[in-house]
Amino acid sequence: MAAPVKSPVDGAVPAVQKLTIGKALNMGLRAAMEADDKVLILGEDVGKLGGVFRITDGLQKDFGEQRVLDTPLAESGIIGTAVGLAVRGFRPVCEIQFEGFIFPGFDQISSQLAKLHYRTQGRVKVPVVVRVPYGGGIGAVEHHSESPESLFAHIAGLKVVSCSNPTDAYWMIQQAVACDDPVLFFEPKRLYHNGQLKSEVDTTTPPGPLFASRVVREGTDCTLVAYGPSVKVCIDAAAAAAEEGRSLEVIDLRTLSPLDLAPVFESVRRTGRLVAVSEAPSESSITSEIAARVQQECFYSLEAPVLRATGFDTPYPPSKLEEHYLPDLDRVLHTVDRAMGW
Amino acid sequence: MPSPEQWTHPEPGEGPAAQAAQPSREQVIAGLRNTDAGGAEVTQLLTPEGERIASPQFDRYISDIDPDALRGLYRDMVLVRRADREANAMQRQGQLGIWVPLLGQEAAQVGSGRALRPQDMAFPSYREHGVAYTRGVDFKELLGIFRCTDHGGWDFKAHGFHPYTIVIGNQVLNAAGYAMGQKFEGKVGDDDGEATIVYFGDGATSQGDVHEGFVWAAVYDAPLVFFCQNNQWAISEPTERQSRLPLYQRARGYGFPGIRVDGNDVLACLAVTRWALEECRHGNGPVLIEAFTYRMDAHTTTDDPTRYRLSEELEVWKHKDPIERVRVHLARNGYADQAWFDQIESEADAFAADLREFCFNMPEPPPERVFTGVYAEPSPVLDSQRDEFLSYLAGFVEAGER
Ligand SMILES: Cc1ncc(C[n+]2csc(CCOP(=O)(O)OP(=O)(O)O)c2C)c(N)n1
């Protein structure tokens, strides 16, 4: 990471605030824009409307139409022009309205955004952030609930992260903006305005580096690894398991590319068991990669095969059925039971 | 590097002459939203005051629209609006996950939809409930999408009405391909030829897929009518955020005709679409129609239009209401009396009540539906995933939990 993250101007915001993930992202973006006037926001409806999730609320009002751009309705256009702006020295932050609409921009992401630095052997930097609200559980129509992150993790040259709590949301977005590489920033949309997750955010000091996973709950019987929206499910599952006398360790991956698996290996060597949880379909996914690498690194420590609780290998179903599709607390605990009973 | 305040264009006189000659933002807006519903070039056959305007070019396309047929179009629009309002209300009551209102776009949809023949194919976006109705797709068949029990299960071949498409612009290329198929199979060339129509919004015109659809249809002479409903807004973004030029004029750059029609005038929409379809049937397509209209409600039930548009705008457009002008025309000419209007109202009430009852009683899909229809061929892997999941669920049933 090149430029250090500047903390916001003294007195601009109280040092500690209770925030939701959505509000934390909004404040993180604001801080990033204040810290560097080359930071731009581009996307559909991000201006007056503040984005369909209101994550950019108020930013156009305060920073103007030249820094918060309501773009034409074209994702290839949003990403492609962001690449050009980055080449010119700006730090664009693109908002894709819903993950299901990123694909018109996939060509620009995979062909240009991911490869320019390599192509020019470092002469061109493309510090673009693509913010993607993703995941299900909001009762939406088609294309509004998917988890396509594995597709992007597979593309070399991109970095892919996902946040799961307000503090990370506030800091990770700023760190992503400061990063000199392109970052795909996956935001768990169903948690944006979740009051239960509202927590105190220390706006003076980042809790750690961007590309590192973190143990969020300690335990001894089995390790759960998850990211984004599934982290809350795992924390809740661990709490439920504790009532039955079972101790689960929960790791929030945070970074999907590069994958920071050292804490996972370390944990599995202690617990002997791993359940990887994600809403994405399981075939050729982040959880597949975790399973492969953990069996390679921790073979002699494993008491059971690495198991997974994931979405199914089907398109995201009509949302009346999503409670079945999404790995919920019960399915996670059921998978833990299988690992324990091996 | 200049500071952000200096990034704007130089004022006229300051910068290069070419830049000074560019229209201002205000001029662009004025040009696009010409006050008289689309400007001088707009085709209109029935004014907002309900007066019939003669058109040497288009009258012949509606010569069969006698008072009886006009009453039919009125009825169509009233039923469609009523069903739309009912669905909107049902969303508010939590019966639907979301609704995409068509309020204000009834004439564009009914007029263009009624221009189609059974052999034609329509590719909708997601707001085309009125077109669906004209294609014989029951409103009930649309509801599953919005109650989130399915992704759109009607028999699209039987109705000549493709499934809804939510990803902006995708359907335009699909329609181009379908129309190419009609051409390759020799179904084009005379009065009985086939044609395809594709619906999209003003915002969609910015997407690469729509641009590519124009290119494909043009170079393969596909019998495709591009029907753009310019309802002035793409969620919060006005049309001038998509284009500097009236949208119908874009067609010229691709080498086919473009025409702007008063999208709130059901007669004009019917006539112009019939003309365009006839061009396509005879092998003279494609054609772009821009129906100049207005979205009178929110983008969807999750949208808040007060954040981005003025209520005055809505007031202006209320005077151009697509249904009201037909009503005035019918009444003034003695084509319909109050008893007839009342009868249509009660028909609409019954239509809505039926829809409501259907919605309330819609069955929930069973869990195995998650796994059905993924592949055309059997998938043993998916079958075992399904079996494993169903037996997991059965565990709860045995334990009496779920
Ligand atoms: C590729 C893509 N990007 C973004 C969206 C989210 N979205 C849904 S509707 C809409 C606005 C569409 O405006 P327009 O094309 O004018 O059609 P209208 O809804 O006004 O009929 C947007 C941005 C989407 N569905 N697909």
Side-chain angles (χ1 to χ4, degrees), chain A residues 44-45 73 75 97-98 101 104 144, chain B residues 105 126-127 166-168 200-205 207 229 231 233-235 295 299:
Chain A
E44 295 155 11
D45 305 295
L73 207 181
E75 289 72 14
Q97 207 153 71
F98 283 87
F101 308 135
H144 292 73
Chain B
Q105 299 182 218
Y126 46 73
R127 201 188 294 280
I166 294 177
V167 181
I168 298 294
F200 52 96
D202 46 306
T205 61
Q207 289 283 3
Q229 288 175 84
N231 64 9
W233 293 94
I235 311 189
R295 151 161 73 75
H299 169 71

Side-chain angles (χ1 to χ4, degrees), chain B residues 116 120-124 131 135 159-163 195-199:
Chain B
L116 297 168
D120 298 332
M121 182 69 178
F123 281 75
V131 184
R135 299 304 280 162
H159 291 293
F161 189 72
H162 191 261
T196 297
I197 190 166
V198 61
Y199 292 86

Side-chain angles (χ1 to χ4, degrees), chain A residues 199-213:
Chain A
S199 66
E200 304 226 310
V201 173
D202 179 348
T203 57
T204 54
T205 339
L210 178 58
F211 302 110
S213 48

